[in-house]
Amino acid sequence: MQSILLGRVLVLLWVSTAWADVLVQPDFDAKKFSGLWYVVAMASDCKVFLDKKDHLLMSTSTVAAEAGGNLSVHMAFPWGDGCNRVDAEFLKVGMEGHFRVPDMGYLDLRIANTDYSSFAVVYIYKELEGALSTMVQLYSRTQEASPQAVKAFQDFYPTVGLPDDMVAMLPKSDACSPGGAEAP
Ligand SMILES: *[C@@H]1O[C@H](CO)[C@@H](O)[C@H](O)[C@H]1NC(C)=O
């Protein structure tokens, strides 16, 4: 018991060190960040992601700002001909734009860079089945990311140690559009 607790404390300490140098968008404004985003690219060292990355499709996140700084987020992930829908609560940790998402195993999520109107670079540190991984997502207001958005993503993921071969540009899919097929 004690060693399990100690292990947890050590992991938390290590994790806070690893997080220390990832910055959050200054003066993050949750209201301006609200609305529909397409998740158009991802980089991650998660083994599950790396195994699947050539089959992943563009997903969407619909963000609603709540009083107090939490975000309520509805995600839709196309898979095959179906669509998986997930509701998650981004819980504010300290400053605006810095969250954790227990529902998704995200120990830390930071909106690292956004102009609100076209793109956002999202940093995620997560745990899946005991394995820790780093992920970066590029959010775009349109299905075609602007060159400026792609550049912001490409400038960022190397700074958290992710190499080019851990990146997936996600193709469009109609599975989650209104009227698209739903998972049972
Ligand atoms: C965010 O949501 C959590 C869980 O619902 C709640 O405990 C917390 O007070 C909320 N944070 C703020 C700043 O409102």
Side-chain angles (χ1 to χ4, degrees):
M1 181 67 186
Q2 217 162 15
S3 68
I4 290 174
L5 280 178
L6 182 62
R8 286 242 148 194
V9 169
L10 287 177
V11 164
L12 286 175
L13 285 176
W14 181 77
V15 157
S16 9
T17 319
W19 292 343
D21 52 358
V22 176
L23 300 177
V24 174
Q25 171 67 42
D27 304 317
F28 177 77
D29 184 328
K31 283 230 162 57
K32 280 158 73 181
F33 191 72
S34 295
L36 176 67
W37 290 102
Y38 294 94
V39 183
V40 297
M42 277 168 71
S44 175
D45 56 8
C46 172
K47 194 176 175 306
V48 176
F49 166 81
L50 293 171
D51 287 346
K52 288 187 186 165
K53 79 180 178 59
D54 297 334
H55 307 284
L56 291 176
L57 298 167
M58 195 179 293
S59 61
T60 58
S61 287
T62 308
V63 176
E66 293 180 350
N70 286 349
L71 302 180
S72 158
V73 182
H74 178 80
M75 303 177 196
F77 301 94
W79 189 252
D81 291 332
C83 178
N84 294 323
R85 295 177 185 275
V86 177
D87 285 307
E89 184 80 1
F90 288 16
L91 305 180
K92 195 178 97 161
V93 185
M95 75 199 299
E96 304 284 341
H98 185 191
F99 305 95
R100 61 191 180 83
V101 190
D103 301 348
M104 311 281 294
Y106 296 171
L107 305 177
D108 190 24
L109 183 151
R110 299 179 188 206
I111 313 303
N113 183 6
T114 185
D115 66 355
Y116 304 100
S117 59
S118 70
F119 77 91
V121 175
V122 181
Y123 165 83
I124 295 166
Y125 193 74
K126 68 166 193 163
E127 197 226 312
L128 179 68
E129 291 159 11
L132 295 166
S133 57
T134 300
M135 177 181 284
V136 177
Q137 296 183 332
L138 176 61
Y139 282 22
S140 172
R141 290 292 191 188
T142 53
Q143 290 181 311
E144 304 288 345
S146 68
Q148 176 206 13
V150 173
K151 182 175 186 309
F153 174 68
Q154 288 172 340
D155 286 347
F156 182 78
Y157 67 74
T159 69
V160 294
L162 296 172
D164 293 344
D165 62 358
M166 292 187 177
V167 173
M169 302 303 290
L170 307 175
K172 277 190 262 194
S173 158
D174 291 328
C176 288
S177 58
E182 296 285 328

